[in-house]
């Protein structure tokens, strides 16, 4: 196994990784440790490692020692033990240390990474380390005051808990984590509302995506969808300052807003807001929106409130960036690049979910496997480009004649699979026949020659699975068996539980 080569498990094309990493603060990396724990390297590390620490990425791809040499001696005593523990337990590796910057000074950084065991027994971590120096300086400042110690300890505990939840979050659970963060921050600071807004690309409208309200406080989220803010000149100026200078917007007293903020004052007064903070949220170098807290009455805010909220917004930004990256990578891995349909990697766990719902609630569904008849002749006689166009157009026909609740996937080659949800056997037969008719009626053109295609279909419904356990493999196997019966029967037909049917 070559840990620094392109065949490294989990590796992405360099250009793609470079683009994804360019807007992420800190350093993205994959770290590899051999099975005997004697050899280690960074198969991938973003270019910031050289800008920040003066360490050559190419050197790290062969040996990681030079990266470990920039760790402050006082902070590196137990790093090897923590890495070994993560490798043995396959638990996330989280570590804080001071790192020597290119100018010679030390700044605090925090690393988060998730391990993955490789077939040869080695371990590969995927993660990020980012600058937390500002937070550590704030931590030190709070420690200097005994009166602040209790608050500081509580805030640290809160940040650590929220940070851990974001590190551990599974794909698709980001909304729950954001809701928990807003709830926790709301209670901790004693505010009346905590929320997250997303800007449109042109910053001319904004949408309240998540909201927490204290008991008895009116929710605003329903009325804050796609709010047009083009005419709010004072607020537009604040957005520009968020964008250009990452400024926090602090309104100490809504009643004292300037004359140019008359419209904004009226809206906030109608909402009952007396005072508020808004902190910018960045994703890949772009101002995505803002995280904010409201008070419905006049109050004395902490002098460092903006700094504390910046720490929270940093957690949000990091979590949202990682979630966006995961979404991008997941979409690449679960979608067919030609048709854009989901592939088998998506289909099998999705079928597991559908079966689980069926077992709990008795929901009905049917499964049909389509095969384009004589597709090899199209490729051989008309060329693969024409074959690709047939696949793309057939995909469009499938999507046009299925619902958003149905699952449409390219199973392989010229085979496509559709899971029809909430249908009976009779419903399914009618749906399949409608698709077959649409395909037969479609005219394809190649080199001024018009031709048509047909499809063969094997179908089954989950209600048939009364004997053997219903598994994704069993469902697909039965549909595939019936598909071959349809092909053996002359093609251009459907075979289901009732037998063979033609248009």
């Amino acid at each position: 196994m070559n840990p620094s080569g392109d065949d490294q498990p989990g590796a992405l094309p360099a250009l793609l990784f470079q683009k994804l990493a360019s807007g992420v603060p800190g350093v993205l990396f994959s770290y590899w440790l051999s099975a005997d724990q004697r050899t280690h390297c960074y198969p991938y590390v973003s270019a910031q490692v050289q800008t920040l620490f003066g360490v050559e990425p190419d050197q790290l791809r062969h040996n990681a020692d030079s990266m470990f040499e920039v760790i402050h001696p006082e902070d590196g005593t137990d790093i090897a033990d923590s890495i070994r523990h993560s490798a043995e337990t396959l638990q996330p590796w989280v570590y804080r240390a001071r790192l020597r910057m290119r100018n010679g000074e030390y700044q605090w950084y925090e690393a988060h990474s998730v391990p993955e065991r490789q077939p040869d027994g080695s371990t590969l971590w995927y993660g990020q380390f980012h600058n937390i120096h500002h937070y550590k300086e704030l931590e030190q400042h709070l420690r200097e005051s005994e009166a602040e110690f209790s608050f500081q300890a509580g805030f640290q505990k809160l940040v650590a808990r929220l940070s851990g939840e974001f590190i551990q979050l599974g794909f698709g659970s980001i909304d729950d984590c954001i809701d928990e963060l807003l709830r926790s921050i709301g209670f901790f600071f004693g505010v009346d509302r905590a929320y997250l807004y997303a800007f449109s690309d042109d910053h001319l409208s904004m949408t309240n995506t998540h909201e927490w309200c204290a008991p008895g406080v009116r929710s605003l989220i329903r009325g804050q969808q796609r709010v047009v803010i083009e005419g709010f000149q004072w607020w537009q100026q604040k957005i520009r300052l968020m964008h250009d200078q990452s400024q926090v917007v602090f309104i100490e007293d809504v009643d004292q807003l300037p004359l140019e903020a008359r419209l904004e004052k009226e809206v906030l007064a109608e909402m009952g807001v007396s005072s508020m903070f808004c902190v910018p949220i960045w994703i890949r170098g772009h101002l995505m929106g803002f995280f904010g807290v409201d008070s419905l009455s006049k109050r004395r805010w902490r002098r460092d409130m903006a700094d504390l909220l910046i720490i929270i917004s940093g957690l949000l930004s990091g979590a949202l960036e990682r979630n966006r990256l995961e979404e991008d990578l997941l979409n690449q891995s679960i979608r067919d690049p030609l048709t854009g349909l989901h592939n088998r990697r998506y289909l099998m766990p999705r079928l597991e979910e559908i079966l689980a719902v069926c077992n709990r609630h008795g929901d009905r569904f049917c499964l049909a496997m389509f095969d384009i008849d004589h597709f090899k002749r199209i490729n051989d006689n008309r060329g693969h480009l024409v074959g690709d166009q047939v696949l793309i157009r057939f995909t469009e026909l499938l999507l046009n004649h299925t619902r958003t609740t149905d699952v449409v996937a390219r199973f392989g080659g010229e085979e496509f699979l559709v899971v029809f949800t909430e249908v009976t056997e009779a419903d399914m037969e009618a749906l399949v026949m409608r698709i077959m008719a649409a395909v037969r009626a479609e005219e394809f053109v190649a080199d001024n020659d018009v031709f048509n295609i047909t499809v063969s279909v094997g179908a089954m419904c989950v209600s048939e699975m009364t004997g053997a356990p219903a598994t994704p493999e069993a469902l697909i196997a039965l549909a595939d068996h019936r598909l071959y019966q349809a092909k053996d029967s002359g093609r251009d037909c459907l075979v289901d539980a009732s037998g063979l049917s033609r248009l």
Side-chain angles (χ1 to χ4, degrees):
M1 173 176 171
N2 178 11
S4 60
D6 291 339
D7 60 346
Q8 174 65 28
L12 288 174
L15 180 59
L16 172 62
F17 227 134
Q18 181 179 357
K19 291 180 178 179
L20 292 174
S22 63
V24 178
V27 178
L28 289 176
F29 68 88
S30 60
Y31 171 72
W32 178 81
L33 181 66
S34 63
D36 61 8
Q37 300 186 356
R38 295 181 179 180
T39 308
H40 63 162
C41 67
Y42 287 86
Y44 175 82
V45 62
S46 55
Q48 290 94 320
V49 73
Q50 182 172 11
T51 305
L52 294 171
F53 312 110
V55 180
E56 291 283 345
D58 288 340
Q59 182 180 358
L60 294 175
R61 292 187 184 102
H62 300 283
N63 191 304
D65 287 348
S66 57
M67 189 66 230
F68 284 71
E69 290 170 0
V70 306
I71 300 175
H72 194 286
E74 295 177 3
D75 302 327
T77 53
D78 61 348
I79 188 170
D81 289 339
S82 70
I83 292 174
R84 279 194 293 269
H85 177 75
S86 177
E88 292 167 1
T89 64
L90 293 182
Q91 294 297 308
W93 181 67
V94 181
Y95 200 81
R96 289 183 176 183
R98 286 165 289 181
L99 302 183
R100 187 176 65 247
M101 309 299 290
R102 195 164 189 167
N103 61 7
E105 69 172 290
Y106 283 91
Q107 292 199 6
W108 281 96
Y109 275 76
E110 185 175 64
H112 303 282
S113 62
V114 178
E116 179 180 276
R117 184 80 70 229
Q118 303 302 297
D120 64 352
S122 64
T123 308
L124 185 67
W125 284 264
Y126 301 90
Q128 175 193 38
F129 54 91
H130 58 277
N131 192 301
I132 59 168
H133 197 71
H134 176 73
Y135 171 68
K136 297 297 289 186
E137 288 181 335
L138 175 62
E139 177 183 68
Q140 182 61 33
H141 170 72
L142 294 176
R143 287 184 179 277
E144 291 172 358
S145 172
E146 184 177 352
E148 289 277 19
F149 182 78
S150 178
F151 177 90
Q152 181 266 347
F155 185 71
Q156 282 189 0
K157 184 177 180 180
L158 175 66
V159 170
R161 178 174 66 82
L162 293 174
S163 179
E165 289 176 359
F166 279 129
I167 293 168
Q168 298 289 349
L169 70 86
F171 184 75
S173 63
I174 184 70
D175 291 328
D176 292 337
C177 288
I178 293 174
D179 289 339
E180 172 59 22
L181 179 143
L182 296 180
R183 186 195 69 81
S184 300
I185 293 303
F187 277 117
F188 187 83
F189 288 108
V191 298
D192 295 303
R193 291 192 191 97
Y195 44 80
L196 182 66
Y197 274 79
F199 290 128
S200 60
D201 292 339
D202 56 10
H203 293 167
L204 298 181
S205 69
M206 63 185 193
T207 293
N208 187 182
T209 61
H210 300 78
E211 177 195 59
W212 169 87
C213 295
V217 174
R218 175 168 57 104
S219 172
L220 303 175
I221 191 168
R222 286 190 177 181
Q224 292 292 296
Q225 303 299 303
R226 297 184 182 86
V227 179
V228 177
I229 55 175
E230 184 176 5
F232 293 87
Q233 298 304 314
W234 181 85
W235 180 236
Q236 283 292 327
Q237 180 186 12
K238 295 300 180 183
I239 293 175
R240 285 192 290 273
L241 291 174
M242 279 190 194
H243 182 274
D244 297 339
Q245 302 176 28
S246 294
Q247 281 196 11
V248 174
V249 178
F250 173 42
I251 303 176
E252 187 173 9
D253 186 351
V254 167
D255 291 337
Q256 300 302 316
L257 282 172
L259 289 176
E260 57 267 27
R262 177 180 56 84
L263 293 176
E264 289 84 348
K265 180 178 178 180
E266 291 176 359
V267 171
L268 292 173
E270 193 279 329
M271 293 178 174
V273 177
S274 176
S275 184
M276 65 188 296
F277 275 92
C278 297
V279 187
I281 297 291
W282 295 87
I283 296 182
R284 300 180 186 173
H286 297 286
L287 181 63
M288 166 264 181
F290 61 92
F291 154 66
V293 294
D294 286 351
S295 175
L296 304 189
S297 59
K298 291 181 173 60
R299 62 174 289 167
R300 184 184 298 275
W301 296 94
R302 292 179 56 90
R303 294 181 62 182
D304 60 353
M305 188 70 181
D307 292 331
L308 299 174
L309 292 179
I310 286 173
I311 294 170
I312 303 302
S313 73
L315 287 177
L316 271 173
S317 293
L320 289 167
E321 287 190 40
R322 287 192 295 273
N323 187 69
R324 184 73 61 82
L325 178 62
E326 288 174 355
E327 286 180 339
D328 290 346
L329 298 181
L330 181 62
N331 276 329
Q332 292 178 41
S333 66
I334 66 174
R335 287 196 180 274
D336 170 48
L338 177 65
T339 64
L341 293 177
H342 286 113
N343 57 22
R344 287 197 203 188
R345 186 171 183 176
Y346 170 87
L347 175 66
M348 301 309 283
R350 184 73 181 93
L351 267 177
E352 291 277 11
E353 294 174 5
I354 294 172
L355 273 171
V357 174
C358 173
N359 292 333
R360 286 197 303 269
H361 306 294
D363 292 358
R364 299 169 300 180
F365 70 90
C366 298
L367 186 149
M369 185 171 289
F370 294 78
D371 183 281
I372 299 175
D373 294 331
H374 304 299
F375 184 74
K376 186 176 184 301
R377 293 182 188 175
I378 297 175
N379 278 334
D380 292 345
N381 299 335
R382 303 179 185 274
H384 286 276
L385 290 178
V386 174
D388 286 349
Q389 291 303 311
V390 169
L391 292 173
I392 292 171
R393 182 55 187 150
F394 178 66
T395 297
E396 294 171 351
L397 292 171
L398 275 181
L399 295 175
N400 288 340
H401 291 84
T402 52
R403 303 158 300 172
T404 56
T405 54
D406 298 329
V407 178
V408 182
R410 186 179 180 188
F411 196 71
E414 65 271 23
E415 290 186 340
F416 295 76
L417 191 143
V418 178
V419 180
F420 297 100
T421 58
E422 285 298 314
V423 295
T424 64
E425 294 182 21
D427 295 332
M428 183 269 297
E429 182 178 357
L431 291 168
V432 170
M433 287 297 187
R434 187 171 63 188
I435 293 171
M436 293 174 63
V439 172
R440 184 187 289 180
E442 184 71 15
E443 292 186 340
F444 296 86
V445 180
D447 297 328
N448 297 319
D449 180 26
V450 178
F451 66 97
N452 300 89
I453 66 170
T454 59
V455 291
S456 300
V457 188
M460 58 80 59
C461 290
V462 70
S463 56
E464 299 178 50
M465 306 298 287
T466 56
T471 65
E473 292 77 11
L475 301 180
I476 293 173
L478 180 54
D480 190 49
H481 174 70
R482 289 174 177 173
L483 170 62
Y484 277 94
Q485 287 182 322
K487 293 165 71 173
D488 288 342
S489 299
R491 294 182 168 84
D492 189 21
C493 62
L494 162 67
V495 174
D496 58 13
S498 63
L500 186 148
S501 302
R502 295 187 185 274
L503 288 172

